[in-house]
Amino acid sequence: MSLIRRRSLLAAPLLLGASSMLAQMPRPLLIAVPPFLSPSAALAAFRPLRQHLESQLKQPVELYTARDFRELVEQTRRGEHDVTLLPAHLAGLALSDWGFQALAATVEATPVLILLRQGSAIKTAAELRGKRMGMLGTLSLTTAVASLWLRQQQLEPGRDLTVVTQPSMSSAVISLEQGDVEAIAVTRTQLNLMPPGSPGGQLTLAELSDIPTPIYIARPNTPVAELGRLRRAWHSFVPDPAAPQTVVNSQLHEIARADLQRAARYREVALQQLEAAGLSTR
């Protein structure tokens, strides 16, 4: 699904003639982002970065998302986009095993939260038995960490409680507010990304260990000079100091050894998720 339809690409042929205008315009840079927000929320959240990249790169930038994490991984493996923002465990695998190239890291780490709606009677993890919990897709690192925590609480997802897959964090928060689920798993940075007017005041049942955040990667065949140009553009982005720190609103920087080590800790998780989803791990 395209998040951004650049009006100039549609209007230009009417003004100057399709062939001459298209010949003068550089090819758009295609960026894929995870489906952790609704398309409208993602459009707003990524707008400052998109505008910055267009200014720095002197070319149009188009953002895309997928229906779910499985489709995002499949599109990435096929090289459908120039740049992809992937969850850290999948990005680490793409860098170590699939030949993708490091572009930029975001926030160092973020905790996973188990949230309840305001006024919930649930006080302990044991009281989730027989209830419904909203999570992102099975390839989400947040889902993997939350599922591990449930098992540590003697609760098997799908048996002792129902896992309701959410198409985005926006949907998860709304589902919680409306009572469709009794709990959701979300990271702090994802919660900070919720657009104005979203339901708030959730209760925190548990704060789990920090996990690494998504990483920008470039496809394997990106020329060295182009990769350097992209890195300079990404690393020069200045976040809004008045806004909460998120994956989108952060100082993008070189992917250091520590970033790769954090992602590598979840390599086995990534492999297990891919195998469970019937996707190739090579």
Side-chain angles (χ1 to χ4, degrees):
M1 179 186 299
S2 173
L3 293 181
I4 297 173
R5 301 294 189 189
R6 288 180 55 80
R7 183 176 301 171
S8 60
L9 293 181
L10 299 176
L14 299 178
L15 299 175
L16 301 177
S19 59
S20 61
M21 188 60 181
L22 290 176
Q24 296 174 28
M25 294 187 67
R27 180 184 69 83
L29 184 77
L30 306 182
I31 304 173
V33 301
F36 51 68
L37 290 172
S38 68
S40 60
L43 176 66
F46 281 92
R47 183 175 292 116
L49 176 61
R50 179 180 65 85
Q51 292 173 342
H52 165 79
L53 293 175
E54 288 187 328
S55 174
Q56 292 293 309
L57 298 171
K58 309 301 182 188
Q59 71 181 110
V61 172
E62 293 184 0
L63 295 178
Y64 291 82
T65 191
R67 290 173 298 181
D68 52 36
F69 283 87
R70 179 192 179 97
E71 185 177 79
L72 179 66
V73 170
E74 291 177 325
Q75 291 175 351
T76 300
R77 294 295 300 273
R78 291 195 297 266
E80 293 186 9
H81 307 100
D82 300 299
V83 174
T84 303
L85 179 64
L86 272 186
H89 65 316
L90 296 173
L93 191 63
L95 293 171
S96 65
D97 293 31
W98 302 341
F100 282 77
Q101 303 183 74
L103 186 58
T106 56
V107 183
E108 180 177 313
T110 184
V112 175
L113 307 175
I114 306 300
L115 300 182
L116 309 170
R117 65 179 168 276
Q118 195 170 23
S120 173
I122 295 174
K123 303 300 181 184
T124 67
E127 293 176 74
L128 290 174
R129 187 177 299 274
K131 301 296 194 297
R132 294 160 296 178
M133 177 179 283
M135 299 186 190
L136 292 175
T138 54
L139 293 177
S140 161
L141 184 53
T142 305
T143 296
V145 171
S147 297
L148 175 60
W149 174 78
L150 287 171
R151 294 186 179 104
Q152 292 170 343
Q153 311 306 311
Q154 308 303 311
L155 296 169
E156 180 62 33
R159 184 191 68 194
D160 298 317
L161 76 166
T162 301
V163 174
V164 181
T165 301
Q166 303 292 315
S168 69
M169 269 301 98
S170 307
S171 299
V173 170
I174 293 172
S175 293
L176 182 65
E177 176 71 14
Q178 294 179 342
D180 297 328
V181 296
E182 283 72 37
I184 59 173
V186 60
T187 67
R188 174 69 67 189
T189 52
Q190 289 170 343
L191 196 62
N192 287 344
L193 265 173
M194 294 302 297
S198 298
Q202 296 86 8
L203 304 177
T204 301
L205 176 65
E207 181 170 327
L208 313 183
S209 59
D210 286 356
I211 60 172
T213 57
I215 294 172
Y216 287 98
I217 59 174
R219 55 188 171 191
N221 60 352
T222 305
V224 174
E226 174 65 5
L227 188 62
R229 188 176 80 101
L230 295 177
R231 283 173 175 162
R232 288 190 294 273
W234 254 261
H235 298 172
S236 63
F237 175 69
V238 178
D240 180 358
Q245 186 182 55
T246 66
V247 168
V248 177
N249 188 57
S250 64
Q251 181 62 62
L252 306 178
H253 56 277
E254 181 180 356
I255 301 175
R257 181 181 297 274
D259 299 311
L260 295 177
Q261 289 174 338
R262 280 190 290 271
R265 296 190 192 111
Y266 294 91
R267 184 175 185 276
E268 289 304 314
V269 171
L271 291 172
Q272 291 169 8
Q273 286 183 327
L274 291 171
E275 289 176 354
L279 297 175
S280 172
T281 60
R282 298 183 180 181

